[in-house]
């Protein structure tokens, strides 16, 4: 049986183990989307993972969802990622950038753009916008057919910047209600052109975005994250089995390196996706920030069901040495939710490595007649 500590070949990369760090937004970049020295330290601390996936990175200002997140839409940003990727490589790790386009999950207060979406369907929620706090999501502008094609190509441009910035590859964010899943959905995609309607049309945007990234940097450096049937940020997929069968067909034809699946409640449906996918399958058992973080037992379960890698999110926030803790059975520290997005180094760089406790000292006076006077 495969162990978490066996190596795995991912495209041209040999991963020393099957533990992946799940992408996690930490909102520690500058206001103009530049990565910082603290981010280099954060990722380098976690470099023993088989694969690190970065926080969501906007491929364009139009695609920026949250404040204080980093970008990959200019040569300057690509260059600013170098110290991060170099620090990871120096520590022996590998890192993919997660390209996250928010679509309608965005607000003009953050980057100055009216959000775009497949259709002008408003998200019924408030979004954190920075200094002005929570504001209602606005009605997004529906992309024209030509604009949808152009928006998919943005993922190719960002993939090129990612490799220029030293990343080993990119993961397209096709999960959790952002632009790619908005096109996949049956409720936010109300289009009647080639990007809407039947499942075979609704997968077009995802496949074109993946194709743009493949054309830019090669299929062995491109993966995609998916949340089949997921409902985060108001998503509905009324035909998920048919939809994901069509999507995997389209992505397999591109020979994409991996799919990274947020595991939902329907285990059989997930196993069917595993069987349908020819390349690397990464499972994230914690799914959509479930009630408890992914555990070692979840990971073993999913390796047993055929996953090649298992990703851990929250456990990686609090345990930079997660691989070693899993290997030795050392206890895991708990993350502090209040510091997830608060900025600064507290709750970011200060989670310590596990220190095995020293052998207990023999009790004074132990041993026959010891010290007896
Ligand atoms: C603070 C935080 C930020 C997250 N940001 C992202 C993100 O940028 N992109 C993404 O795909 N998932 C994101 N997620 C979801 C995680 O990748 C993961 O799917 C989730 O935490 C469940 O896995 P776990 O139980 O191992 O934590 C985030 C989760 C957390 C806790």
């Amino acid at each position: 049986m495969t162990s978490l500590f066996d190596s795995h070949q991912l495209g041209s990369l040999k991963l020393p183990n099957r533990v992946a760090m799940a992408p996690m937004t930490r909102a520690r970049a500058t206001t103009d989307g530049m990565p910082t020295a603290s981010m280099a330290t954060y990722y380098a601390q976690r470099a023993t993972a088989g694969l690190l996936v970065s926080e969501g990175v906007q491929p364009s200002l139009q695609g920026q969802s949250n404040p204080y997140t980093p970008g990959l839409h200019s040569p300057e940003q690509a260059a600013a990622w170098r110290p991060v990727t170099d620090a990871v490589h120096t520590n022996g790790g590998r890192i993919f950038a997660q390209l996250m386009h928010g679509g309608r999950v965005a607000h003009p207060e953050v980057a100055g753009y009216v959000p775009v979406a497949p259709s002008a369907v408003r998200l019924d929620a408030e979004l954190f916008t920075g200094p002005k706090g929570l504001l209602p999501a606005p009605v997004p502008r529906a992309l024209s057919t030509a604009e949808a094609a152009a928006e998919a190509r943005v993922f190719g441009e960002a993939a090129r910047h990612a490799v220029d910035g030293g990343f080993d590859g990119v993961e397209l964010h096709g999960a959790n209600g952002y632009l790619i899943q908005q096109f996949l959905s049956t409720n936010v995609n109300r289009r009647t052109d080639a990007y809407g309607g039947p499942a075979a049309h609704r997968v077009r945007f995802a496949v074109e975005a993946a194709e743009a990234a493949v054309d830019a940097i090669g299929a062995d450096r491109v993966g995609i994250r998916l949340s089949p049937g997921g409902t985060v940020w108001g998503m509905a997929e009324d035909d998920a089995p048919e939809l994901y069968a069509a999507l995997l067909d389209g992505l397999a034809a591109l020979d994409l390196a991996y799919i990274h699946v947020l595991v939902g409640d329907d285990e059989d449906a997930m196993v069917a996706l595993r069987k349908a996918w020819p390349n690397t399958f990464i499972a994230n058992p914690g799914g959509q920030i479930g009630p408890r973080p992914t555990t070692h037992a979840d990971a073993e379960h999913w390796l047993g069901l055929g996953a090649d890698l298992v990703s851990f999110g929250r456990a990686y926030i609090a345990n930079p040495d997660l691989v070693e803790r899993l290997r030795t059975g050392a206890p895991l520290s708990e993350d502090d939710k209040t510091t997830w997005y608060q900025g600064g180094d507290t709750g970011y760089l200060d989670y310590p490595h596990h220190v095995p406790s020293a052998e207990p000292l023999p009790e004074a006076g132990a041993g026959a007649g010891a010290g007896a006077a």
Side-chain angles (χ1 to χ4, degrees):
M1 149 109 183
T2 308
S3 138
L4 264 183
F5 313 107
D6 290 342
S7 64
H8 177 73
Q9 194 72 32
L10 175 70
S12 56
L13 291 176
K14 181 152 187 172
L15 314 184
N17 59 64
R18 287 152 183 266
V19 178
M21 175 170 156
M24 282 179 293
T25 294
R26 303 302 311 275
R28 261 86 173 172
T30 66
T31 45
D32 53 352
M34 294 290 185
T36 63
S38 291
M39 288 163 62
T41 303
Y42 170 73
Y43 287 110
Q45 285 175 341
R46 290 156 178 79
T48 50
L51 181 69
L52 299 171
V53 184
S54 81
E55 61 210 280
V57 176
Q58 54 267 9
S60 62
L61 280 176
Q62 174 70 74
Q64 183 166 0
S65 186
N66 300 296
Y68 317 117
T69 52
L72 270 168
H73 45 86
S74 69
E76 292 74 27
Q77 284 172 335
W81 277 104
R82 266 284 167 194
V84 179
T85 56
D86 281 351
V88 169
H89 293 143
T90 300
N91 279 14
R94 296 136 298 276
I95 182 164
F96 274 41
Q98 189 188 51
L99 302 180
M100 165 176 161
H101 189 311
R104 72 173 187 157
V105 188
H107 196 285
E109 271 302 320
V110 174
Y113 284 73
V114 173
V116 293
S119 306
V121 182
R122 184 184 164 268
L123 169 69
D124 185 14
E126 293 193 319
L127 300 171
F128 179 65
T129 62
K132 292 197 178 161
L134 286 171
L135 293 173
V139 178
R141 190 173 68 74
L143 292 163
S144 71
T145 303
E147 285 175 328
E151 213 59 30
R153 287 196 293 275
V154 165
F155 287 89
E157 291 154 26
R160 166 52 50 211
H161 286 311
V163 167
D164 288 348
F167 282 100
D168 298 291
V170 298
E171 173 178 291
L172 274 54
H173 197 341
N176 291 354
Y178 298 109
L179 184 64
I180 292 177
Q181 199 190 3
Q182 289 161 32
F183 271 93
L184 295 174
S185 78
T186 34
N187 59 339
V188 176
N189 185 345
R190 299 185 184 169
R191 304 173 72 97
T192 53
D193 65 1
Y195 291 96
H201 283 192
R202 299 195 330 273
V203 303
R204 187 182 308 275
F205 184 82
V207 173
E208 285 185 3
E211 191 173 15
V214 166
D215 287 348
I217 63 171
D220 63 338
R221 300 193 206 220
V222 180
I224 189 168
R225 195 161 212 229
L226 303 171
S227 48
T231 56
V232 168
W233 291 128
M235 290 288 93
E237 296 172 334
D238 295 342
D239 53 359
E242 184 193 348
L243 176 68
Y244 283 87
L247 179 58
L248 264 52
D249 277 353
L251 298 173
L254 296 171
D255 200 22
L256 228 60
Y258 71 76
I259 60 171
H260 183 176
V261 176
L262 284 92
V263 170
D265 296 336
D266 186 347
E267 191 168 288
D268 292 345
M270 302 294 149
V271 172
L273 293 178
R274 158 66 292 188
K275 289 191 176 140
W277 179 249
N279 295 340
T280 294
F281 185 101
I282 308 179
N284 179 221
Q288 300 163 358
I289 314 194
R292 59 166 178 80
T294 300
T295 63
H296 194 165
D298 296 329
E300 296 293 348
H301 179 69
W302 279 94
L303 287 180
L305 291 176
D308 298 298
L309 305 178
V310 177
S311 70
F312 294 76
R314 286 161 288 179
Y316 250 121
I317 291 181
N319 300 278
D321 53 345
L322 183 64
V323 172
E324 201 47 29
R325 294 198 197 208
L326 295 173
R327 196 195 307 273
T328 58
L332 300 189
S333 303
E334 260 184 53
D335 60 300
D336 172 5
K337 203 174 169 175
T338 65
T339 59
W340 280 0
Y341 309 117
Q342 78 164 14
D345 291 347
T346 303
Y348 192 53
L349 303 185
D350 51 0
Y351 288 105
H353 281 223
H354 176 67
V355 181
S357 51
E359 285 298 309
L361 292 171
E363 275 177 46

